[in-house]
Amino acid sequence: MYATSTSFSILSRTRLLATPLPPRSISKRCFLTLASSSSSNSTRDIPNPNAPSASPSPPTLSSKPPSAGISSPRPATLPNHLHLRSQAIPPRPPKAVAATVAATKPLIKPIQYGFKTNFSLFAKRPPRAFPPPFNSPPASSFSDALSTYHLSSRIPTPEGAAFLRGITNGDDAILHHHSHLGVADGVGAWNTKAAGHAALWSRLILHYWSLALDAQRKSPEAAGGGKIDIVSALQRSYNNTISATTREGKTVWQGTTTACVSSLEGNILTVANIGDSRAYVYRPSSASFVYKSTEQWHWFDCPYQLGTNSLDTPAANAVVDKVELEEGDIVILATDGLPDNLWDTEIADICAAAGKEVGGLADKLVKAAWKIAIDPFGESPYMERGIDEGLSMEGGKYDDISVVTAVFKKK
């Protein structure tokens, strides 16, 4: 009996199956664009005091106010001195108009490009339950349980509270957005420790990185033409994750994780990678990869990683690349479960066979990698690396497989 497989959806816990079955992946598409709304400028006509004005019908005046109930006749014309006085009165000055918001506050740059995203997941085992305050506690009473019937108050999945961005997949985590993507691979060996939590670390790294990136986009510097710095955002995420897992100077939840993140600015894709997760850019027009990230290893099966007892940091060790995209390019981010079981040429062939049906590309990649992962006699890149290190290995690597695909679209 081989290792078990897991299938899951976005809002349901993963369940351990008795026999390995093909992964049931869930796809979610997201393509959002932001356009700046054109503000209508109102204009008003200001009268010119020097310009001759049209002679209105002259008002009629009486020498004294009429008494109540007595009607006094009015003269048909005004005296000459009253005519001169009425012409000498200048027109009223225009009222001051308050400055609009657009003139006083910089607007966020409109997004003219975006991603249409899709993902597929396979977990080799369910994740460890998230600890407070990063979990969703169960209902404590019968009335609480009834309140979860409404969709707005339903209790989220136990793999993480609703405020955590991203999706947990075993020890992996993924994040997909119309302007940024990310995958993180938590080191599963930490689950053997009492205070170890690989899934928590991978999820928090992506959660805080996404928050830091949004803060940069909303800042006046970014709105005024500043550049987004994903490495500084990843460094801030790393610092926040350490603070979130530390109490009174002591680490209460240990773990390490790799990270491969990317951000889109116009048609420029910026990729930052730490560890053995991979990023690819496939161009259908040339049926080939125009970019592939490089894996980082300390030694075989020990990649660069962020977390407990690791000296690696985003500021010092992240590898950053920039890629100019064309419309229709396919961006792929995957944890090591994909490149450990499929060679780059096999991934390119699957992308070419998908053609224009890129919506199911992530499913096809995960399914192909899963078939090698459960084959004890299959050939895999992981087996090849082990043999190069002098190890006797055969078959694929049974691991979490997390794949995010995104099609680059222009508005």
Side-chain angles (χ1 to χ4, degrees):
M1 182 68 65
Y2 303 117
T4 57
S5 64
T6 306
S7 62
F8 47 20
S9 62
I10 302 176
L11 295 178
S12 63
R13 290 197 61 179
T14 57
R15 291 184 172 88
L16 199 62
L17 302 181
T19 59
L21 294 176
R24 296 178 59 191
S25 54
I26 296 299
S27 303
K28 182 175 181 182
R29 296 169 184 169
C30 165
F31 179 67
L32 303 175
T33 56
L34 300 179
S36 61
S37 58
S38 58
S39 59
S40 59
N41 298 326
S42 60
T43 59
R44 20 182 329 190
D45 297 329
I46 301 176
N48 187 0
N50 298 324
S53 59
S55 59
S57 58
T60 59
L61 300 176
S62 59
S63 58
K64 62 180 180 178
S67 302
I70 303 176
S71 61
S72 59
R74 295 185 179 182
T77 59
L78 293 176
N80 293 335
H81 67 281
L82 291 180
H83 276 292
L84 296 176
R85 183 176 180 182
S86 63
Q87 294 178 0
I89 297 176
R92 293 181 180 181
K95 295 182 179 181
V97 180
T100 60
V101 177
T104 58
K105 185 177 180 180
L107 298 178
I108 298 177
K109 295 182 296 183
I111 298 176
Q112 299 180 352
Y113 301 88
F115 283 139
K116 183 178 181 181
T117 63
N118 185 275
F119 66 91
S120 185
L121 309 172
F122 167 77
K124 62 182 179 182
R125 60 172 176 262
R128 197 169 189 175
F130 276 37
F134 308 109
N135 66 338
S136 298
S140 57
S141 66
F142 184 70
S143 60
D144 289 343
L146 289 178
S147 65
T148 64
Y149 178 77
H150 195 273
L151 294 177
S152 61
S153 60
R154 182 173 295 174
I155 295 180
T157 60
E159 287 86 0
F163 66 86
L164 289 179
R165 298 188 178 186
I167 301 172
T168 295
N169 175 41
D171 295 329
D172 293 354
I174 68 166
L175 179 72
H176 63 101
H177 191 262
H178 65 85
S179 63
H180 56 270
L181 312 169
V183 295
D185 182 8
V187 178
W190 285 105
N191 293 327
T192 61
K193 306 289 185 180
H197 207 307
L200 177 64
W201 270 80
S202 62
R203 183 75 173 273
L204 289 182
I205 284 289
L206 294 185
H207 167 73
Y208 287 121
W209 174 74
S210 180
L211 291 178
L213 209 61
D214 284 351
Q216 290 186 6
R217 295 184 189 278
K218 295 178 182 178
S219 65
E221 292 79 9
K227 299 297 182 181
I228 301 299
D229 188 353
I230 65 174
V231 175
S232 65
L234 192 59
Q235 181 66 40
R236 183 176 180 180
S237 170
Y238 171 67
N239 297 335
N240 290 338
T241 303
I242 292 179
S243 300
T245 55
T246 303
R247 298 289 184 274
E248 299 179 356
K250 182 180 179 181
T251 302
V252 293
W253 291 108
Q254 301 172 336
T256 52
T257 180
T258 67
C260 183
V261 295
S262 64
S263 175
L264 183 65
E265 291 296 318
N267 67 328
I268 302 299
L269 179 71
T270 305
V271 180
N273 184 45
I274 295 181
D276 57 355
S277 294
R278 299 288 301 277
Y280 309 84
V281 177
Y282 179 83
R283 183 157 295 166
S285 59
S286 61
S288 62
F289 286 120
V290 295
Y291 169 76
K292 293 184 292 185
S293 64
T294 304
E295 297 169 309
Q296 295 175 298
W297 298 78
H298 289 294
W299 56 82
F300 176 71
D301 216 17
C302 181
Y304 282 38
Q305 51 200 277
L306 306 173
T308 309
N309 299 336
S310 176
L311 300 179
D312 304 327
T313 63
N317 302 104
V319 177
V320 182
D321 297 309
K322 293 183 180 293
V323 187
E324 185 175 356
L325 300 180
E326 297 180 1
E327 189 169 6
D329 286 352
I330 303 173
V331 180
I332 303 173
L333 266 64
T335 55
D336 62 342
L338 181 71
D340 280 346
N341 290 293
L342 295 179
W343 278 279
D344 293 347
T345 55
E346 294 177 313
I347 299 176
D349 292 341
I350 295 175
C351 293
K356 296 183 179 180
E357 297 179 0
V358 294
L361 177 58
D363 296 335
K364 295 177 181 178
L365 291 172
V366 170
K367 186 175 181 179
W370 172 82
K371 288 182 179 179
I372 301 298
I374 64 173
D375 187 356
F377 305 107
E379 295 182 356
S380 66
Y382 182 76
M383 176 199 72
E384 190 177 70
R385 295 190 191 99
I387 293 176
D388 292 340
E389 295 292 330
L391 303 176
S392 178
M393 301 183 64
E394 191 175 12
K397 181 184 180 183
Y398 192 75
D399 199 359
D400 299 326
I401 307 173
S402 304
V403 177
V404 178
T405 61
V407 182
F408 176 69
K409 294 286 187 180
K410 186 178 180 180
K411 178 184 173 184

